[in-house]
Amino acid sequence: MAKQIDRRSLLKTAGATAALAGFGLSAPAVHSANEKVVRYLGTATTMGSEIDKKLFEDTGIKVKYIPVTTDEVTKRVLTQPNSFDIVDTEYFSLPKLVPSGNILGMDSKRIKEFDNISTTHTLGEIGGKKIGDQGTAPKKVFYLKDEKSSEFSSEPTRWATLIPTVFNADTLGIRPDLIKRPISTWAELLNPEFKGKASILNIPSIGIMDAAMVVESMGEYQYPDKGNMTRDEIDLTIKILIEAKKAGQFRALWSDFNESVNLMASGEVVIQSMWSPAITAVRTQGIPCVYQPLKEGYRAWAVGFALSAATKGYQADVCYEFINWYLSGFVGGHLNRQGYYSAVPSTAKQYMEGYEWDYWMLGKAAAKDIKAPDGKKLASAGEVRDGGSFVERMGGVACWNATMDENRYMVRKWNEFVAA
Amino acid sequence: MFDVKRHSATLLSFPFAFVIFAFFVVPLCLVIMVSFWDYNSYSIIPDFIFTNYQDIFYGCVKSLPDLCTSFATYISSLKFVFITWLITLLTGFLVALFLVFCVSTLQMQIVLFLLCTIPFWTSNVIRMISWIPLLGRNGLVNSTMQNIGLTDSPAEWLLYSEFSVTLAFVHLYTLFMVVPIFNSMMRIDRSLIEAAHDAGASSFQTLANIIIPLSRPGIIIGSIFVITIVMGDFITIGVMGGQQIPSVGKIINVEMTYLQFPAAAANAVILIITTLMIIFAMTKLVDIRKEL
């Protein structure tokens, strides 16, 4: 039978095409009753096609992405709260997001694995030992007083601000083949030995934290709280950065993940602020690159999911189903194998081979070659993870990504650094 | 009775006037309005304050002779504007001169003109980024120079420097100069040039006394294109300057991402005023409306 193209089906196709083309500007908020779609707003660094595929197989949920940069996530939540169902954001953005009322408290009773969430978030400790809490540590902003409250609660309540998903401890990345000597302190970033071969990230809120780690380790100043500097402390930090910049210390600054990979892989830079997956990306090109543990410790970050205040009823149920699936282990295993940490380690373990768990989480020598989730080799048998075990790395956290009270002043001073 | 014929010009201008009003005048007024508002880290607050402007010029007088952020940024931008303008004007003028007066057939002129547009088949970000593997420390230029023994160590100034930014600007924007100058030159009456020749003028005299004055509208229009684009650019300066060279656009961009819309608006207003002043000075040199 010849397939007839009538006006109706033509219109339908045209409509679907138009909807596809229009996605990104504004995804339609209403879906047909039995189609489960989640509009995801975030950087999408902890998502991916494999996760999408498995998610659809297990739950029938499809993800519609609104991929933006870290700072754009905040902007979008504040300016277009109706354009997404679920937001994947950093804990340090919460002091900006929560007062807006555009995200609601998450109901911990609906999260199956809530009690198994890593203690780094809930208590700010690991293995019973307190970890650094300078900056916007998750435990400070973990709970809300009420579902619709715009105030954080220091006591546990039923309402969580975010349901944590992924976190990590960041440090400097180095090219051991080009540096040819051990690096053990943050101060090396501004060591004149690496003049013209260093880089720092040009995202003010994170760059200033890396700079603070450097200033402390140079012995210039001890901050009472690196994550909440006074104006004088900001002045001091920026002054040291400007002096280094004028002396030609930095080859470039970077603001995009891929830029940091290119700078490192091409050898333009041998020491710089870097993120864990960027190290992986350099290494899978066959270029040696180390995520160097430093004696002053790490700068940690954590991300999680929240629902838009506009997400209600059936759509909210789908979002909770998505979050429960996300924490159920497959994604955790997937992300742990990239060097991140899943917020629910116990479920991630079920999706990792024994030798992988030993390498990534326990800091043991690799029993076999370690492969990235895409199958490319990351480390040979016998190698040990940079920085060691989960407890060692997270135990060494010195501060967390932060939003400062003097944020406005800090951004202005950061611009001064770029202009110097 | 309303005479449609008599008012046709006015009526015809309505759609465009509406577009200009809705998409230029209204947003511009909003920007000016917001530049006087207050803000905190998650919202903007209607107000009438001058803090945003004070912040821009914070420490500018006090720190003299050292330059404050804004002065340093504007001086850096103006420097790029001037150098880029000079080089694109020179190259653009010569290319147009060649196309119009040295190429004899119209067909060939069109073919060569289209050749000039080939780089525009890719996006300007790609055209810009393709310089990086060429100019880098281990890039093509450096390895070639070292291989043929010109230099011993890689030249660092090739990439992430003012040189690479200028190079990218010239590469990206010369065509904006070529097109209007080409257009002006095409309209020069050939008999004028013959007359000059007959009257005994040298080639240089013809160029100086006939071609340049008559191409002036093209030169001014091309200059306006290049100057406004370079003044507002932050992507080229960011990528080619390794984000170490300041630009007004980047400051606005950073302020926008940190939701400091009023501060960004104030910066935008200052940028618009500066650019308008340059354009105003240029239009003093030629009455564009008359020349068109």
Side-chain angles (χ1 to χ4, degrees):
Chain A
M1 198 178 79
K3 199 178 170 205
Q4 277 196 323
I5 300 172
D6 58 6
R7 213 173 85 91
R8 185 172 294 266
S9 72
L10 191 71
L11 280 176
K12 247 173 40 201
T13 325
T17 320
L20 268 179
F23 171 63
L25 292 173
S26 63
V30 184
H31 307 286
S32 61
N34 44 12
E35 195 189 4
K36 297 201 274 189
V37 178
V38 166
R39 292 175 302 160
Y40 164 100
L41 169 67
T43 57
T45 45
T46 51
M47 296 294 291
S49 55
E50 280 176 63
I51 294 175
D52 290 351
K53 204 170 134 234
K54 181 80 172 143
L55 170 70
F56 187 70
E57 276 171 23
D58 289 356
T59 63
I61 296 175
K62 280 187 195 163
V63 179
K64 278 198 170 179
Y65 285 100
I66 309 169
V68 290
T69 62
T70 307
D71 292 327
E72 292 282 329
V73 173
T74 311
K75 194 161 116 186
R76 184 113 180 185
V77 172
L78 296 180
T79 55
Q80 299 172 58
N82 294 323
S83 66
F84 64 94
D85 296 319
I86 201 162
V87 57
D88 183 355
T89 187
E90 293 227 23
Y91 273 88
F92 84 82
S93 302
L94 288 172
K96 292 185 200 168
L97 300 182
V98 167
S100 72
N102 290 350
I103 59 168
L104 293 180
M106 298 293 294
D107 189 348
S108 61
K109 291 201 172 146
R110 296 182 69 177
I111 302 297
K112 201 170 143 246
E113 298 289 342
F114 194 79
D115 294 333
N116 294 324
I117 285 170
S118 168
T119 51
T120 46
H121 291 61
T122 47
L123 304 170
E125 57 182 50
I126 188 162
K129 182 178 153 261
K130 286 272 172 216
I131 58 178
D133 66 350
Q134 291 192 5
T136 313
K139 68 166 186 186
K140 296 181 188 167
V141 291
F142 202 79
Y143 295 104
L144 285 179
K145 290 199 167 145
D146 198 350
E147 184 182 12
K148 290 182 181 167
S149 170
S150 56
E151 276 178 75
F152 299 112
S153 163
S154 49
E155 297 301 314
T157 67
R158 180 176 163 185
W159 306 100
T161 47
L162 296 179
I163 299 302
T165 51
V166 189
F167 61 106
N168 205 350
D170 286 358
T171 180
L172 296 176
I174 62 163
R175 280 282 300 267
D177 57 324
L178 298 176
I179 291 183
K180 297 188 183 107
R181 68 172 178 83
I183 295 289
S184 65
T185 149
W186 280 86
E188 301 276 12
L189 186 69
L190 296 187
N191 186 340
E193 183 187 337
F194 307 120
K195 190 180 150 194
K197 291 178 181 171
S199 176
I200 192 167
L201 77 175
N202 190 11
I203 298 174
S205 56
I206 309 176
I208 191 89
M209 303 297 288
D210 279 359
M213 293 297 287
V214 174
V215 169
E216 276 196 348
S217 80
M218 286 165 76
E220 295 277 347
Y221 183 70
Q222 283 291 322
Y223 300 87
D225 184 352
K226 287 183 278 293
N228 201 8
M229 297 185 194
T230 63
R231 287 194 172 210
D232 288 343
E233 287 167 348
I234 295 170
D235 286 346
L236 172 89
T237 315
I238 297 289
K239 187 171 148 265
I240 290 170
L241 280 182
I242 288 177
E243 279 165 12
K245 190 186 168 197
K246 284 195 170 152
Q249 183 70 11
F250 302 114
R251 178 63 169 152
L253 310 179
W254 64 265
S255 54
D256 176 82
F257 166 86
N258 291 308
E259 287 174 345
S260 71
V261 174
N262 292 338
L263 285 171
M264 207 60 158
S266 65
E268 297 287 344
V269 159
V270 299
I271 183 166
Q272 64 172 348
S273 329
M274 232 172 154
W275 296 340
S276 162
I279 301 275
T280 310
V282 175
R283 274 201 198 170
T284 49
Q285 293 180 33
I287 296 164
C289 185
V290 172
Y291 212 24
Q292 185 62 48
L294 303 165
K295 65 178 186 213
E296 295 86 3
Y298 297 86
R299 174 183 51 75
W301 55 267
V303 298
F305 288 136
L307 262 56
S308 160
T311 309
K312 293 197 177 80
Y314 177 71
Q315 193 58 26
D317 296 343
V318 174
C319 288
Y320 273 101
E321 188 185 352
F322 169 68
I323 295 170
N324 275 317
W325 177 83
Y326 198 95
L327 297 179
S328 68
F330 174 81
V331 183
H334 185 85
L335 295 169
N336 276 8
R337 282 197 296 269
Q338 292 179 43
Y340 292 116
Y341 294 123
S342 165
V344 186
S346 53
T347 56
K349 190 176 182 179
Q350 297 157 19
Y351 284 82
M352 293 171 83
E353 301 287 336
Y355 74 95
E356 290 179 323
W357 181 262
D358 287 350
Y359 174 82
W360 289 112
M361 297 297 287
L362 301 182
K364 293 184 185 166
K368 295 185 204 170
D369 282 359
I370 297 293
K371 288 179 174 149
D374 64 1
K376 285 185 186 155
K377 191 176 126 180
L378 274 178
S380 308
E383 285 185 41
V384 181
R385 178 178 186 172
D386 306 331
S389 68
F390 175 59
V391 176
E392 276 176 84
R393 291 187 80 243
M394 287 313 293
V397 164
C399 62
W400 295 79
N401 281 356
T403 296
M404 303 188 184
D405 295 339
E406 288 289 353
N407 198 38
R408 182 166 164 174
Y409 183 73
M410 190 276 288
V411 170
R412 198 168 82 208
K413 292 298 281 187
W414 187 269
N415 276 331
E416 205 170 292
F417 160 59
V418 174
Chain B
M1 212 179 84
F2 186 73
D3 185 354
V4 174
K5 238 181 186 168
R6 233 183 78 202
H7 295 92
S8 61
T10 323
L11 286 174
L12 279 171
S13 71
F14 270 147
F16 190 64
F18 173 74
V19 169
I20 289 280
F21 182 77
F23 298 104
F24 179 72
V25 178
V26 172
L28 190 63
C29 291
L30 287 175
V31 167
I32 294 170
M33 183 177 82
V34 171
S35 73
F36 292 102
W37 285 18
D38 198 2
Y39 61 95
N40 55 29
S41 52
Y42 50 87
S43 61
I44 56 178
I45 306 148
D47 204 338
F48 189 78
I49 53 167
F50 292 92
T51 323
N52 301 314
Y53 289 96
Q54 280 161 7
D55 281 354
I56 294 176
F57 296 107
Y58 172 80
C60 282
V61 178
K62 202 177 66 187
S63 66
L64 284 173
D66 289 338
L67 294 169
C68 62
T69 315
S70 296
F71 284 178
T73 308
Y74 274 94
I75 285 173
S76 162
S77 290
L78 288 172
K79 193 171 70 188
F80 282 121
V81 165
F82 181 73
I83 298 172
T84 311
W85 172 74
L86 206 66
I87 301 175
T88 53
L89 176 62
L90 210 66
T91 12
F93 186 82
L94 290 178
V95 170
L97 194 71
F98 173 79
L99 284 176
V100 175
F101 295 107
C102 300
V103 179
S104 46
T105 65
L106 183 66
Q107 262 165 334
M108 201 57 194
Q109 278 177 340
I110 293 171
V111 169
L112 290 176
F113 186 79
L114 286 179
L115 268 181
C116 291
T117 65
I118 284 183
F120 282 73
W121 294 0
T122 58
S123 88
N124 67 353
V125 176
I126 291 173
R127 270 178 288 152
M128 188 160 69
I129 287 174
S130 53
W131 282 106
I132 293 177
L134 224 65
L135 300 174
R137 185 176 285 145
N138 306 310
L140 210 57
V141 175
N142 266 323
S143 49
T144 313
M145 288 210 300
Q146 279 166 283
N147 283 342
I148 61 171
L150 269 177
T151 52
D152 297 332
S153 54
E156 304 269 324
W157 55 266
L158 282 173
L159 186 60
Y160 303 135
S161 59
E162 296 189 347
F163 167 79
S164 55
V165 174
T166 314
L167 183 74
F169 273 141
V170 169
H171 174 212
L172 292 174
Y173 302 133
T174 300
L175 196 69
F176 288 113
M177 211 48 125
V178 174
V179 175
I181 298 179
F182 176 83
N183 185 39
S184 287
M185 281 185 182
M186 284 297 272
R187 293 194 297 175
I188 295 176
D189 192 342
R190 297 302 170 102
S191 53
L192 284 174
I193 292 165
E194 274 171 40
H197 188 70
D198 291 345
S202 68
S203 307
F204 180 74
Q205 282 173 317
T206 317
L207 186 72
N209 296 317
I210 297 178
I211 298 179
I212 291 180
L214 289 175
S215 324
R216 210 165 54 173
I219 293 173
I220 300 291
I221 293 169
S223 303
I224 291 174
F225 276 144
V226 171
I227 290 168
T228 45
I229 295 172
V230 175
M231 272 310 278
D233 176 278
F234 66 97
I235 296 176
T236 311
I237 295 183
V239 172
M240 300 304 291
Q243 308 208 12
Q244 298 214 70
I245 297 173
S247 59
V248 187
K250 183 67 194 176
I251 291 183
I252 296 175
N253 175 259
V254 169
E255 284 166 345
M256 298 266 287
T257 49
Y258 283 83
L259 298 153
Q260 304 179 345
F261 292 115
N267 260 308
V269 170
I270 301 285
L271 177 63
I272 291 169
I273 291 172
T274 317
T275 313
L276 279 181
M277 269 161 35
I278 302 174
I279 304 294
F280 181 73
M282 301 216 66
T283 50
K284 282 278 126 185
L285 297 173
V286 63
D287 185 345
I288 289 189
R289 289 213 302 195
K290 201 178 95 195
E291 301 278 0
L292 285 176

